[in-house]
């Protein structure tokens, strides 16, 4: 299982901690976030990992290189320019084995009980598969009855994004995105012409008219975004509870 671990973000929601360190190095239960998430992904079957870096990049590079890992862990350097999620993935592509297998994408500030190994094995055929769940939020991805991605909506503002004309939001299923997804290298061709930096979700919302991009509903998903100061205490309990 190839894994892209997004760790390049500025971590602005975790200030003042991230005034002196990247969010990947913020400690939870006495360990840097990247150590918790990286070891969890390896335990779930990761065979190679690429970590992108930008904000206080050298701290992450030092941490990765100073530890021994049972699988290759490579660094995708974005110190010159933060490339966002889509651009970051495209920039990291040459660092992966060129075997056509999907890339599992995970954020460094997400903790969950998601069965990553099972999710990966069950979703090898689509061009992309987004792990979703039934969760109360303002922003939802929209899917048809076959769980093919059709758009996105913000129910608070009524905004809708979709490449399809006359989309009927009320007739589509809506689910919350987990931040965990699978990406087939087949999709890199559809990224041609995009700027160096772009969000991968914007790409998905355009590419779903041309490619097989699906949702996978993960039941009983317990997910914690550790991107805010007020979640750090909860994160410590979460890590201990799940044995991460």
């Amino acid at each position: 299982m190839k894994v892209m671990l997004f760790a390049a973000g500025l971590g602005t929601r975790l200030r003042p901690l991230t005034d002196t360190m990247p969010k990947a190095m913020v400690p939870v239960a006495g360990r840097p976030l990247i150590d918790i998430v990286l070891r969890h992904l390896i335990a779930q079957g990761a065979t190679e990992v690429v970590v992108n870096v930008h904000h206080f990049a050298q701290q992450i590079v030092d941490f990765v290189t100073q530890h021994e890992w049972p699988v290759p862990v490579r660094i995708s350097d974005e110190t010159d320019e933060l490339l966002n999620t889509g651009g970051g993935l495209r920039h990291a592509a040459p660092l992966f084995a060129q075997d056509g297998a999907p890339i599992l994408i995970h954020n460094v500030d997400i903790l969950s009980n998601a069965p990553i190994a099972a999710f990966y094995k069950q979703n090898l055929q689509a061009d992309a598969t987004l792990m979703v769940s039934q969760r109360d939020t303002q922003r939802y991805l929209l899917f048809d009855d076959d769980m093919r991605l059709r758009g996105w909506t913000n129910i608070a503002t009524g905004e809708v994004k979709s490449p399809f004309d006359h989309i009927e939001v009320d007739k589509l299923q809506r689910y919350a995105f987990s931040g965990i997804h699978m990406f087939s290298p087949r999709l890199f061709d559809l990224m041609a012409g995009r700027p160096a930096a772009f969000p991968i979700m914007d790409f998905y919302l355009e590419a779903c008219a041309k490619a097989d991009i699906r949702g996978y509903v993960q039941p009983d998903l317990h997910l914690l975004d550790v991107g805010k100061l007020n979640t750090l205490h909860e994160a410590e309990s979460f890590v201990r509870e799940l044995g991460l």
Side-chain angles (χ1 to χ4, degrees):
M1 180 171 69
K2 297 186 289 190
V3 175
M4 177 79 203
L5 184 57
F6 285 135
L10 300 178
T12 54
R13 295 178 300 164
L14 282 170
R15 285 176 175 165
L17 294 178
T18 48
D19 288 339
T20 56
M21 68 178 72
K23 64 181 176 180
M25 295 302 295
V26 168
V28 172
R31 296 161 58 200
L33 262 175
I34 190 172
D35 186 60
I36 296 169
V37 176
L38 185 51
R39 293 188 186 281
H40 175 62
L41 290 168
I42 292 171
Q44 287 287 310
T47 54
E48 57 177 306
V49 182
V50 174
V51 181
N52 69 342
V53 296
H54 173 79
H55 184 60
F56 289 110
Q58 194 59 45
Q59 292 186 33
I60 300 175
V61 172
D62 290 344
F63 179 84
V64 169
T65 56
Q66 290 170 9
H67 290 77
E68 291 189 8
W69 309 98
V71 303
V73 180
R74 305 180 183 95
I75 298 294
S76 181
D77 189 355
E78 298 180 24
T79 51
D80 290 340
E81 180 183 7
L82 186 59
L83 299 176
N84 212 312
T85 48
L89 176 62
R90 183 175 60 184
H91 182 70
L95 298 173
F96 287 104
Q98 304 301 299
D99 56 6
I103 300 167
L104 187 285
I105 301 173
H106 200 290
N107 295 336
V108 76
D109 55 0
I110 292 293
L111 301 175
S112 81
N113 65 345
I116 299 293
F119 170 67
Y120 189 85
K121 291 176 182 177
Q122 293 170 16
N123 295 284
L124 294 172
Q125 302 306 315
D127 292 320
T129 305
L130 287 61
M131 184 185 291
V132 296
S133 66
Q134 294 179 324
R135 174 168 53 88
D136 290 336
T137 182
Q138 291 185 349
R139 301 171 181 84
Y140 290 96
L141 294 175
L142 302 170
F143 300 90
D144 65 17
D145 291 341
D146 293 325
M147 287 304 292
R148 294 193 65 163
L149 181 65
R150 288 296 180 258
W152 170 96
T153 186
N154 183 326
I155 61 173
T157 64
E159 181 183 4
V160 175
K161 295 180 181 179
S162 174
F164 302 99
D165 294 332
H166 313 298
I167 185 172
E168 297 184 72
V169 174
D170 293 341
K171 294 184 179 180
L172 295 170
Q173 302 183 65
R174 65 186 193 190
Y175 291 98
F177 182 40
S178 68
I180 302 169
H181 43 130
M182 287 172 59
F183 178 98
S184 169
R186 295 188 298 268
L187 288 175
F188 281 124
D189 287 344
L190 291 180
M191 290 181 172
R194 285 184 169 268
F198 63 93
I200 198 165
M201 187 53 69
D202 286 357
F203 168 75
Y204 284 151
L205 290 170
E206 293 180 13
C208 66
K210 303 175 183 178
D212 184 14
I213 300 177
R214 296 180 180 266
Y216 177 87
V217 182
Q218 181 60 56
D220 302 317
L221 180 64
H222 186 187
L223 183 144
L224 182 64
D225 178 355
V226 197
K228 301 177 183 178
L229 285 173
N230 60 6
T231 60
L232 287 178
H233 180 71
E234 185 180 354
E236 293 190 1
S237 300
F238 194 94
V239 166
R240 295 189 182 99
E241 177 185 336
L242 296 181
L244 296 177

